[in-house]
Amino acid sequence: MSSMTKPPVIPVEKPRDIEDWLWVGIPVGLLTIIIGYLIYKHAGSFTIDSFMAGFNSDLAFYLMVGVLAQLVDGALGMGYGATATSFLLTLGVPPAVSSTSVHLSEMFTTGASAISHFKFKNINKKLFKTLLIPGVIGSVIGAYLLSDVIDGNVIKPFISAYMVVLGCIIVSKGIKKTNVKKPTKRLGVLAIFGGFMDAVGGGGWGPIVTSTLIGRGRDPRYTIGSVNAAEFAVAFASGVTFLLFEGINSWQVVLGLMLGGMIAAPLGAYLVNRVNRRPLMVIVGLLVIFLGLRVVLKAIL
């Protein structure tokens, strides 16, 4: 009796997990709601003439700042807020307007960045979930205080001094050799502090959270991807808080930073494991220090 030939086994494609769809669907859905709210709230404030007049050299500059800041943030896991806020403060933009603009634009740039890091498989989901809620809590508290309690003109030199400190942190992490992995305790406290300082200072989530985790020896690729993904929720929470208490005072800044950041987000996620991070961190840190010192000295002299 001749043996029968078995039919070839056809591989069955595994259905995509619903959680994978949520990584894309949640950012897109939330940002769609925000766009709808902005159209409903502010559509009557703009005329065609004023809108067209806004497309000038200032918008182009904000666009370039957004591209630069997001490339830095995507590759290093830090620096978007510090870079963008330092430039805005140097131009004389008030702290509340600066932080509002940065965080509103970060709603979109970090959403694009989170999706990009997910596509490139750079996310540790356990770390992401641990940082998520505490980071949101800290950012909401900071955004509320800056919008409704703290005088922006009084705090501006202090925020610039804080930017100088952030720049020093970035430089030190670029110079310091990689540490042996150590357990990181109190991640929730770290996330609350990072979210709070990010909202008040216009930047700090990456330099505080990412640099601490990498300094403890965690893998840079998954640390950067996870922290950047959590930053979407942090930026979204503070951005909504700023919208409620501060509103939009400079749509040019928001639009320029947003478009520039969204353009650069996929490239930043691609570069995260392909660039020599240490010299880039030193350059970015020195730039932030220089810009921060300019504002501090201007306030003193």
Side-chain angles (χ1 to χ4, degrees), residues 62-77:
Y62 298 136
L63 180 70
M64 289 188 290
V65 172
V67 170
L68 173 63
Q70 186 57 45
L71 282 176
V72 169
D73 190 78
L76 298 180

Side-chain angles (χ1 to χ4, degrees), residues 209-242:
V209 180
T210 303
S211 65
T212 298
L213 295 179
I214 293 179
R216 302 292 291 180
R218 282 183 174 265
D219 182 89
R221 173 184 174 184
Y222 294 108
T223 298
I224 292 171
S226 305
V227 174
N228 271 20
E231 189 175 14
F232 167 69
V234 171
F236 190 89
S238 57
V240 169
T241 306
F242 279 123

Side-chain angles (χ1 to χ4, degrees), residues 169-241:
I169 292 174
I170 296 173
V171 171
S172 68
K173 296 300 179 182
I175 296 174
K176 194 175 181 180
K177 294 182 179 179
T178 304
N179 294 329
V180 178
K181 186 173 182 180
K182 303 173 185 177
T184 308
K185 300 179 181 179
R186 299 180 180 176
L187 282 175
V189 176
L190 176 67
I192 289 176
F193 180 68
F196 176 82
M197 294 306 299
D198 187 81
V200 172
W205 174 256
I208 291 171
V209 180
T210 303
S211 65
T212 298
L213 295 179
I214 293 179
R216 302 292 291 180
R218 282 183 174 265
D219 182 89
R221 173 184 174 184
Y222 294 108
T223 298
I224 292 171
S226 305
V227 174
N228 271 20
E231 189 175 14
F232 167 69
V234 171
F236 190 89
S238 57
V240 169
T241 306

Side-chain angles (χ1 to χ4, degrees), residues 98-121:
S98 175
S99 194
T100 299
S101 302
V102 168
H103 284 89
L104 286 177
S105 65
E106 276 191 311
M107 285 183 177
F108 297 87
T109 60
T110 55
S113 182
I115 294 173
S116 300
H117 279 294
F118 171 72
K119 292 293 185 181
F120 286 106
K121 303 185 186 301

Side-chain angles (χ1 to χ4, degrees), residues 123-145:
I123 296 175
N124 179 321
K125 294 180 180 179
K126 182 180 179 181
L127 176 60
F128 165 80
K129 293 174 182 177
T130 303
L131 297 173
L132 187 64
I133 301 301
V136 167
I137 293 172
S139 69
V140 170
I141 295 173
Y144 167 71
L145 291 177

